[in-house]
Amino acid sequence: MIELKNVTKTYEVRKGESVHAIENVNLAIGEGELVVLKGASGSGKSTVLSLVAALSKPTSGEVLVDGKQISKLSDDFASLYRRENIGFIFQRYNLLPNLSVEENILLPLIPSNPDSKEIGVRLEEVMERFHIAHKRHQKAKNLSGGEQQRVAIARANINMPKIILADEPTANLDANLSRHFIEMLGELKSANTTIIVATHDPLFFGLSFVDREIEIHKGTILV
Amino acid sequence: MILTPEILTLTLLNLLFALFGIVALLLSVQIVLGWDVHATTQKQYMLEKKSFLGAVIIKYVFWLKLPLFLFFIFTIDKLSNVITGAMCAAGVVDATPYGTYLFIVKILNLYLFGLWLVLHYLDVKQETPRYIKTKYTLFLAIFPLLACEIVLELLMFGAIDVSKMVSCCGTLYSSNTGSYISGIFLVATPLLLGLFYGNYFLLACFYFLKNRVLYTLASALFTVVALVSLIAFFGTYIYELPTHHCPFCFLQKDYYYVGYLLYTLLFLGTFYGLIAGLLEAKSETNLKKSLFFITLYVVAVSLYPAVYYLRNGVWL
C-alpha cells in the first residue's frame, strides 16, 4: 500500500551546504499494518512521515500510495490526497485553543462540506470512541494534555482516513496517558487503519499489536 | 518622453514584466530541454519546482497584461488632450512610427496570453500535468513578442513630441487618404452587412453542428469582418455622423465609453472561438462562451442603426 523506492531527501541549510535527512530509503508498508519508526532525534523519522503525507517532495526517488505516485502530485492534488487519505497526530496536538472540542474535531471536514446529518453521526462516533464526548463544549485550551491528545486522535479519525501518521505522539504525555494513547492506537489498528508512528518512546517497543519496528539511523534504515 | 502618471505606471510595470519575463524565459528553456514527466530523479523534481515558479510568474504577468491593454488605450486616449491635433487615441497612435506596430503586436499578444492562460488552467486541473512542455514551448514563442511589445511601448512613449502637430482621426480614417484604411470604405454597405450577418449565421450553424474547426475558422474571419464593419458602418451610427469612421472615438466619455464594451465582447467571443478549435478539452464550453459573447456583440452593434432608424425614420 505505501512504498518508498530509493527515496532521498536533502535539505539545503545554507548555499552550497546540504543535509541528507534520508538517503536511498526503501520501505513497503501493507494495508492495515501498524509500523513504529524508531530512532534518535534528527534520524529522519519525521521526514518519512512528511513524504508519505505529501507534505514535502523527495529530492529523488518515488513515494507510492495505493500505486499512485504521490511524490509527483501538484500542491492542489496533494491537499486533496491528504484530505481523503491521511489523519495526523502531532506531538504538540496542534489544536486551535479557542475552539471547542467539537469544533476542533470537525475542522478537517470543512473543505469537503459533507451533509450535516452525516457529520453529527460521525462526530458522536469518534467522540465516544476516544472518550472525549463529555468535554465536547469545552475549549481546547482548558483541557489537560491527555484530553488534548484524545481530541487530536478523534480529529485525525473524523475523515475515516486510510492512513494515520503520528509524529512523537506521546512526547508530551506522562507514562499513564501514554499507555492509554497506545491502547487507542491498538483499537485503530483493529479497524484496519494503516498506522505509522514515529517515536523514540520505549513504551512503543515490543508491543504485541505492532507489526513492525523499523529503526532509522542518520537517514538510513537499519536492517 | 512625457511622463504622465499613466505612462509612468505602464513604464514601471513594463520594466517589471521584462525582468520577470527573463526569469521565466530562463526557467522555460530548462524545462523544455529537460522535462520528463515519468522521471523521479533529482533533476526532474527540481524542474517540477521550477515549473511551479515559472507558471506563477507567467500567469501573473499575463493576467495583468490583459486588463492593462484597456488601461493602455485609456492612457493614449487621455494623451490626445495634450498632443496638438489629436482628438482621440488615433492621433496618438499616428504620432510616432511605432504606434501602429505596437497596436498590432498588442492585439496578437492578447490572444496568445489568453491561450497560454487557458492551457495553464487545463494543466493544473489535471492530476498528471499534460501540457507542461507545450505551455513552456508556447511561452518561448510568446516571449519575443512580449519583449517586442515592451520595447515598442517604451519607444512610442519616448518618441511622442507634444509640440509636433499630428493628424486627427477625421483625417486618418477618411476615404480620401489613399491609405489601406481608406480601402475599407470602398466596400459596399450591403456586401459588408451581408458578410457580417452571414458570418454570424455561419458561426451559429457550426456551433449547432458542433464543428469546432470550422467554428474557429469562421470566428477568425469574424474578427476581421466585425472590425471592418464596425469602422465602416456601425461606428457611423454610434457617432451619428456618416463620415466619421474612427475606431477610437467611441472609447471616450461622449459615447459612454461603449468602445470598451464592444471591443471586450468581440475579443472574448473570438478568443473562445479560437481556443475551441485549438484545444479539445472543454471545447463545448468554449464554443458556448464564444457564441454567447459574439451574439452580445452582434446585438450591441446592431442596436445603434436600429435605434437610429426607429428615431429618425431614415438610414445614414
Side-chain angles (χ1 to χ4, degrees):
Chain A
M1 185 197 186
I2 301 170
E3 273 183 284
L4 277 76
K5 292 181 181 172
N6 299 317
V7 175
T8 296
K9 176 71 185 173
T10 308
Y11 294 103
E12 196 168 330
V13 280
R14 251 173 259 115
K15 190 88 184 157
E17 192 186 325
S18 51
V19 170
H20 290 295
I22 55 171
E23 205 167 359
N24 273 323
V25 165
N26 288 288
L27 179 65
I29 297 169
E31 195 175 334
E33 258 195 286
L34 197 164
V35 173
V36 171
L37 295 178
K38 57 184 185 182
S41 289
S43 58
K45 307 186 294 291
S46 299
T47 301
V48 172
L49 295 192
S50 76
L51 290 168
V52 173
L55 282 168
S56 61
K57 290 190 174 196
T59 306
S60 63
E62 295 172 62
V63 182
L64 296 119
V65 173
D66 287 338
K68 187 192 275 187
Q69 279 242 30
I70 59 151
S71 49
K72 306 283 277 183
L73 293 177
S74 67
D75 280 0
D76 285 355
F77 284 96
S79 302
L80 196 65
Y81 154 79
R82 276 193 295 277
R83 196 196 302 167
E84 290 173 353
N85 297 285
I86 307 284
F88 288 99
I89 302 167
F90 304 94
Q91 177 181 343
R92 292 182 194 279
Y93 326 124
N94 291 13
L95 302 177
L96 294 179
N98 286 315
L99 295 188
S100 70
V101 166
E102 278 186 346
E103 288 164 338
N104 266 291
I105 295 173
L106 288 173
L107 274 176
L109 292 180
I110 289 174
S112 47
N113 196 21
D115 175 59
S116 57
K117 252 188 200 170
E118 194 188 331
I119 290 176
V121 173
R122 242 196 271 175
L123 179 66
E124 284 306 319
E125 191 188 301
V126 292
M127 284 197 304
E128 289 298 330
R129 192 168 170 196
F130 299 107
H131 318 291
I132 199 69
H134 61 293
K135 300 268 181 175
R136 64 174 67 214
H137 299 303
Q138 279 209 28
K139 286 190 176 174
K141 65 181 177 188
N142 298 329
L143 300 175
S144 69
E147 286 166 342
Q148 287 195 44
Q149 194 57 301
R150 293 215 295 278
V151 176
I153 198 169
R155 182 186 57 186
N157 276 277
I158 191 78
N159 269 347
M160 295 187 287
K162 283 191 266 184
I163 302 164
I164 290 208
L165 305 173
D167 195 0
E168 300 285 4
T170 55
N172 286 338
L173 302 178
D174 62 31
N176 271 338
L177 289 172
S178 297
R179 276 190 208 98
H180 187 59
F181 177 83
I182 289 166
E183 278 168 29
M184 285 194 289
L185 277 189
E187 284 174 38
L188 278 177
K189 178 184 160 44
S190 59
N192 207 34
T193 310
T194 307
I195 303 166
I196 308 177
V197 184
T199 185
H200 61 264
D201 185 347
L203 285 174
F204 278 93
F205 307 154
L207 292 169
S208 59
F209 58 83
V210 170
D211 296 298
R212 265 189 298 163
E213 288 175 16
I214 297 167
E215 189 161 0
I216 303 185
H217 180 67
K218 289 187 179 170
T220 51
I221 288 176
L222 300 181
V223 184
Chain B
M1 187 178 197
I2 51 171
L3 290 175
T4 65
E6 291 83 11
I7 292 178
L8 264 176
T9 308
L10 284 170
T11 306
L12 286 174
L13 283 172
N14 272 332
L15 293 175
L16 277 177
F17 294 151
L19 180 72
F20 281 110
I22 289 166
V23 174
L25 177 76
L26 297 175
L27 294 170
S28 301
V29 170
Q30 293 174 44
I31 292 161
V32 170
L33 293 177
W35 188 263
D36 176 5
V37 74
H38 302 294
T40 53
T41 56
Q42 188 170 353
K43 181 186 167 193
Q44 177 59 21
Y45 282 118
M46 192 55 83
L47 285 178
E48 286 175 16
K49 282 183 185 171
K50 287 180 176 176
S51 160
F52 181 77
L53 176 65
V56 169
I57 292 173
I58 300 168
K59 186 175 85 174
Y60 284 104
V61 169
F62 287 179
W63 260 122
L64 284 168
K65 286 296 278 179
L66 293 178
L68 274 176
F69 178 69
L70 296 179
F71 184 69
F72 170 78
I73 294 175
F74 171 79
T75 302
I76 57 171
D77 190 51
K78 209 174 163 191
L79 267 183
S80 63
N81 295 328
V82 293
I83 295 178
T84 320
M87 303 296 284
C88 67
V92 183
V93 170
D94 196 53
T96 71
Y98 313 108
T100 310
Y101 299 111
L102 174 61
F103 235 86
I104 294 167
V105 174
K106 268 189 178 289
I107 291 169
L108 178 64
N109 278 354
L110 275 186
Y111 285 91
L112 290 170
F113 296 164
L115 174 64
W116 192 95
L117 288 169
V118 170
L119 206 57
H120 175 65
Y121 172 80
L122 292 173
D123 203 35
V124 296
K125 289 286 164 201
Q126 295 172 87
E127 202 169 286
T128 315
R130 278 201 334 227
Y131 299 119
I132 293 278
K133 259 194 168 172
T134 316
K135 74 182 184 191
Y136 282 102
T137 308
L138 179 63
F139 179 73
L140 291 179
I142 294 173
F143 182 78
L145 286 165
L146 173 70
C148 185
E149 182 188 322
I150 292 170
V151 170
L152 281 172
E153 202 168 311
L154 292 172
L155 285 173
M156 190 190 103
F157 287 138
I160 288 174
D161 182 359
V162 286
S163 60
K164 196 178 134 193
M165 176 95 89
V166 299
S167 303
C168 77
C169 54
T171 311
L172 292 168
Y173 295 95
S174 131
S175 50
N176 305 321
T177 56
S179 68
Y180 61 95
I181 292 282
S182 60
I184 290 173
F185 312 118
L186 297 175
V187 183
T189 303
L191 174 65
L192 193 59
L193 292 182
L195 277 172
F196 179 74
Y197 289 106
N199 200 335
Y200 175 66
F201 177 72
L202 274 180
L203 283 168
C205 289
F206 295 144
Y207 170 77
F208 288 110
L209 291 170
K210 308 271 178 231
N211 193 325
R212 60 191 185 91
V213 177
L214 286 178
Y215 187 97
T216 297
L217 293 174
S219 89
L221 181 64
F222 187 79
T223 315
V224 179
V225 172
L227 282 173
V228 170
S229 57
L230 182 66
I231 296 169
F233 177 75
F234 294 109
T236 59
Y237 283 90
I238 297 173
Y239 304 126
E240 301 191 345
L241 271 174
T243 52
H244 199 58
H245 296 286
C246 178
F248 294 103
C249 278
F250 47 64
L251 293 159
Q252 293 181 329
K253 191 184 173 187
D254 301 346
Y255 303 98
Y256 308 105
Y257 305 105
V258 71
Y260 289 102
L261 173 75
L262 295 180
Y263 285 131
T264 305
L265 289 175
L266 183 61
F267 168 70
L268 289 172
T270 51
F271 171 71
Y272 282 115
L274 177 79
I275 292 297
L278 289 177
L279 301 169
E280 204 181 339
K282 299 214 172 198
S283 61
E284 208 164 309
T285 318
N286 290 331
L287 283 177
K288 205 177 279 178
K289 284 181 186 171
S290 169
L291 192 64
F292 173 73
F293 288 119
I294 286 178
T295 303
L296 284 182
Y297 175 80
V298 170
V299 170
V301 292
S302 302
L303 273 175
Y304 279 94
V307 169
Y308 184 86
Y309 184 77
L310 287 174
R311 277 210 319 237
N312 302 293
V314 286
W315 302 105
L316 276 174

